[in-house]
Amino acid sequence: MHLGLIDYSIICIYFIFVIGIGFFIKRKVKTSNDFLMSNRSIPLWITSLAFISANLGAQEVIGMAASGAKYGIMTSHFYWLGAIPAMLFLGVFMMPFYYGSKARSVPEYLAKRFDEKTRGFNAITFAVMTIFSSGISLYALAMLFQIILGWSFEFSVFLAAGIVLIYTFLGGLTSAVYNEVLQFFLIVLGISPLVFMGIHNAGGWEGVVKNLPEPMVHAWKYMGHANDNAMGVNIWQMAMGLGFVLSFGYWCTDFLVVQRAMIARNMQSAQKTPLIAAFPKMLMPFVVILPGLIAVALQAAHSGYVLPMKPDGITPNYDMALPSLLSHFYPSGILGVGLTALFASFMSGMAGNVTAFNTVWTFDIYQSYFRPNESDKHYLMVGKMATVFGIIASIATAYLAKSFNNIMDFLQLVFGFVNAPLFATFFLGMFWRKTTANGAFWGLLGGTAAAALTHGLTLAEGKGAWIANLHEFQSTMGQNFMIAIMAFCSCFVLTYLISLFTKRKQESDLVGLVYSLTPKPEAAQMAWYRKPITLAVIVLILTFLLNLIFY
Amino acid sequence: MKNMLDLRFVIGAFFLIVGILLLGSSFMVHFTKENGTTVNRDCGVVFILFSLIMLAMWKWGTKPTEEA
């Protein structure tokens, strides 16, 4: 891919803007609350777009196009089934407790609802996970730009890390959120032309469909049996594993996305953040997944476009679907915009992880366990130092990933084990007043162990079965969904049983933390069309229609 | 003076600059692909229109956004 002067100019203009945002916001950052929580002052439209943008890193953008090329429109399940319902649940039922409890983070909610050991477990695993995720983003960016532009690994790593460090150190969370919103518009406006051009080149949507295998243009029709579709999953695994456990476990408990709603100006905005975000989220498959289908259709139609192959010369390199389409269709100018969008999404993914890390480190680990009674100025300094540490650790992780790629797969697997049972803990904590601290903690540990056991006793595509091989799944995706189901169920049952026999908090201590013990006067006074549930129902209906159209 | 740190202004300004660059580049023949696509011109116009909408929302928005 050859870049012209105009392409480099657009990339430079973007860098100037993101750094400039950091410098301007710096003047307003005076307290740790300003730096780490934006002083809970962000308008609804910004929190809504940042909410989906925080999950729109380049690994998602590149990965979704790759999945689109490999699995077809079934990839939309990650949005229409694997995101929307959970986002609606978060907004309608869970945000009142996250926001109303005045918790500054998800682990802090766990401390208030349960105890310090549950908070500590969640905080430490989350902190480690975000740093590794940030480093993996950096590694993926450097590898991609090495392939498509010939930039050295070191140049990409230090350029991206340096720019993210500047604007997050100066402006904190607000700076990261602003850039996420800018990134959202860049991705939509930078990649949408590609979709239009690709569909036009393929002969319209009918031309795309004509040149794709039948299962690739249906989301649900071939899910009766795992053998019938390329994903290797059946409808039950998809609905329960992705649609319920993994989806709710991520969208309802991961502090990286929940933080974007927690910094809203008031309760109503906090509740509406994921609900408003659901509207553009519904449409994102048309921007990020369609390019993958278009790539396969264009190749099948012998249009002159060819999907790049892996070094073995046999396997298509689906990860290169989007970059190769950019190179094929975009002239210099809009090419610079497309690449800036990719760069922006990598950097925002990194910035989002680092800002989530520095909040959890400062409030949930440092303030809770090391120096609890320091001045706010001290915690502001700690937050800034945590930002620097987060960036340095991300760079180190990127190099680790370069040297030991399997370690990254292993770490992601372990974090998957830890994440899988989380929703059971939160669900029981928020909606069953009798859930105890010991029930929550040991349930979490038990759920994590169940996840590891399931992986150790089952095989999929040569992975797992390190204890014994009791069952073989069609695909690793099917295995991951079953791991999530087992972890959730184990955590749920263990938490319930242990709670029955252990001491619980006084109900007076649980007001604002548990649904049944929290008065809801605001909701009662609102007109029906202003209630969050009304917005949620509208989104659900639209999502259902989309699933029907692409059945 | 309206708050220039309002994100609507920032987004509007960014896409206005990029839109003008794209539109300007579309008049240089060698920037178009060989099949004659004028995607730079079309995207430049769309970007400029989008930026004008964002800038209008910044200027005539009902409430100035408090940007931290």
Side-chain angles (χ1 to χ4, degrees):
Chain A
M1 200 184 283
H2 176 71
L3 297 191
L5 178 63
I6 186 171
D7 302 311
Y8 284 111
S9 302
I10 291 170
I11 294 172
C12 288
I13 289 167
Y14 173 72
F15 289 159
I16 291 168
F17 265 78
V18 302
I19 292 172
I21 287 171
F23 273 104
F24 273 108
I25 290 174
K26 176 183 179 258
R27 298 179 300 180
K28 306 271 185 170
V29 173
K30 295 182 179 16
T31 66
S32 64
N33 210 18
D34 293 336
F35 187 76
L36 298 167
M37 288 297 293
S38 302
N39 201 23
R40 294 199 175 197
S41 63
I42 304 297
L44 174 59
W45 75 275
I46 295 177
T47 56
S48 302
L49 290 180
F51 188 89
I52 52 170
S53 208
N55 180 246
L56 202 57
Q59 285 164 289
E60 282 74 31
V61 174
I62 300 277
M64 286 297 152
S67 293
K70 202 172 172 189
Y71 306 122
I73 204 74
M74 276 185 69
T75 309
S76 64
H77 286 313
F78 286 96
Y79 288 81
W80 297 339
L81 180 69
I84 301 287
M87 288 166 66
L88 302 181
F89 187 85
L90 172 70
V92 174
F93 296 110
M94 293 179 77
M95 277 319 298
F97 303 100
Y98 281 141
Y99 199 88
S101 67
K102 304 276 189 287
R104 294 166 298 182
S105 66
V106 163
E108 191 165 60
Y109 171 83
L110 289 175
K112 289 176 184 247
R113 175 62 183 87
F114 299 119
D115 60 7
E116 282 299 331
K117 64 179 182 292
T118 313
R119 180 228 285 251
F121 180 75
N122 183 244
I124 290 168
T125 51
F126 179 80
V128 174
M129 190 174 63
T130 49
I131 289 302
F132 277 109
S133 295
S134 174
I136 289 167
S137 278
L138 201 50
Y139 164 76
L141 175 155
M143 291 305 291
L144 180 68
F145 281 80
Q146 189 170 51
I147 293 170
I148 63 175
L149 296 178
W151 291 2
S152 75
F153 185 85
E154 288 71 23
F155 177 74
S156 298
V157 164
F158 285 96
L159 176 67
I163 291 171
V164 171
L165 176 61
I166 291 171
Y167 74 77
T168 52
F169 185 84
L170 292 172
L173 180 59
T174 306
S175 205
V177 163
Y178 272 32
N179 281 299
E180 282 162 11
V181 177
L182 180 59
Q183 168 222 336
F184 171 80
F185 287 113
L186 254 176
I187 286 180
V188 172
L189 292 172
I191 298 178
S192 295
L194 182 70
V195 174
F196 286 111
M197 294 170 76
I199 291 178
H200 175 75
N201 226 259
W205 179 247
E206 295 77 22
V208 172
V209 171
K210 191 179 72 174
N211 285 296
L212 289 173
E214 166 82 355
M216 279 189 82
V217 294
H218 290 281
W220 289 98
K221 193 174 174 186
Y222 293 90
M223 293 209 60
H225 195 281
N227 286 333
D228 296 338
N229 58 78
M231 266 193 189
V233 298
N234 61 38
I235 192 168
W236 187 77
Q237 288 169 331
M238 182 64 81
M240 282 299 294
L242 176 66
F244 179 51
V245 178
L246 284 175
S247 157
F248 281 67
Y250 176 74
W251 289 101
C252 296
T253 72
D254 192 287
F255 182 51
L256 174 57
V257 288
V258 174
Q259 188 181 33
R260 269 79 188 137
M262 287 172 90
I263 59 173
R265 284 176 167 169
N266 50 48
M267 174 71 84
Q268 258 208 51
S269 297
Q271 275 197 275
K272 284 185 177 168
T273 290
L275 305 181
I276 302 283
F279 284 94
K281 188 75 175 172
M282 267 192 287
L283 302 176
M284 287 313 293
F286 300 110
V287 177
V288 298
I289 298 174
L290 267 191
L293 278 89
I294 289 166
V296 176
L298 288 174
Q299 179 162 283
H302 306 289
S303 64
Y305 167 80
V306 176
L307 195 56
M309 303 298 274
K310 287 193 175 175
D312 62 11
I314 304 165
T315 320
N317 189 350
Y318 295 114
D319 286 339
M320 291 303 291
L322 183 66
S324 62
L325 282 173
L326 289 175
S327 177
H328 183 76
F329 282 110
Y330 278 8
S332 251
I334 192 66
L335 180 62
V337 177
L339 288 175
T340 303
L342 283 184
F343 216 103
S345 59
F346 276 116
M347 288 188 350
S348 288
M350 194 181 158
N353 278 301
V354 168
T355 50
F357 165 78
N358 66 16
T359 303
V360 168
W361 169 262
T362 305
F363 291 144
D364 293 296
I365 297 174
Y366 185 85
Q367 187 180 37
S368 299
Y369 302 118
F370 293 100
R371 306 275 281 270
N373 297 310
E374 294 292 342
S375 67
D376 186 73
K377 197 173 167 190
H378 178 85
Y379 293 124
L380 174 60
M381 187 266 302
V382 168
K384 292 201 166 206
M385 291 302 107
T387 305
V388 176
F389 172 79
I391 298 287
I392 293 171
S394 302
I395 294 172
T397 307
Y399 276 95
L400 198 66
K402 190 185 180 201
S403 304
F404 304 103
N405 199 258
N406 285 340
I407 284 187
M408 292 299 113
D409 291 338
F410 172 74
L411 281 165
Q412 286 190 298
L413 191 68
V414 169
F415 291 133
F417 295 162
V418 171
N419 270 339
L422 264 178
F423 181 63
T425 306
F426 279 85
F427 183 81
L428 284 169
M430 280 184 183
F431 297 102
W432 189 44
R433 67 179 80 177
K434 295 180 184 174
T435 313
T436 65
N438 281 318
F441 180 75
W442 294 107
L444 254 183
L445 283 186
T448 303
L453 262 177
T454 308
H455 187 258
L457 293 171
T458 59
L459 188 70
E461 297 178 43
K463 292 178 184 169
W466 38 271
I467 301 173
N469 185 5
L470 298 185
H471 177 78
E472 186 161 351
F473 288 94
Q474 190 80 8
S475 66
T476 51
M477 204 176 291
Q479 184 188 41
N480 288 339
F481 293 167
M482 185 52 73
I483 287 171
I485 293 168
M486 293 301 291
F488 173 85
C489 294
S490 303
C491 179
F492 193 100
V493 169
L494 273 170
T495 303
Y496 178 81
L497 288 174
I498 294 172
S499 294
L500 291 177
F501 300 103
T502 49
K503 190 178 172 192
R504 52 183 156 123
K505 282 185 169 180
Q506 297 292 323
E507 288 194 355
S508 55
D509 294 334
L510 298 179
V511 174
L513 300 169
V514 178
Y515 190 83
S516 58
L517 298 173
T518 302
K520 297 166 252 319
E522 266 192 49
Q525 288 161 16
M526 239 184 262
W528 68 269
Y529 52 86
R530 294 175 69 87
K531 289 184 179 179
I533 190 78
T534 306
L535 200 53
V537 168
I538 294 171
V539 173
L540 262 181
I541 291 170
L542 291 173
T543 309
F544 175 75
L545 286 174
L546 280 170
N547 276 284
L548 208 58
I549 291 167
F550 290 96
Y551 174 79
Chain B
M1 173 83 177
K2 276 276 183 173
N3 181 9
M4 291 181 68
L5 194 52
D6 187 317
L7 191 53
R8 293 169 293 188
F9 174 80
V10 173
I11 293 172
F14 176 80
F15 282 100
L16 183 64
I17 294 170
V18 174
I20 289 171
L21 273 176
L22 289 180
L23 191 60
S25 74
S26 71
F27 295 113
M28 298 180 201
V29 173
H30 64 274
F31 276 130
T32 61
K33 285 282 192 188
E34 284 167 3
N35 61 4
T37 56
T38 53
V39 61
N40 278 342
R41 181 199 65 194
D42 296 340
C43 288
V45 168
V46 168
F47 282 21
I48 290 169
L49 286 174
F50 173 73
S51 69
L52 293 176
I53 293 170
M54 292 303 283
L55 291 169
M57 286 167 68
W58 163 69
K59 188 157 173 56
W60 291 295
T62 51
K63 210 192 282 188
T65 47
E66 177 51 58
E67 313 299 351

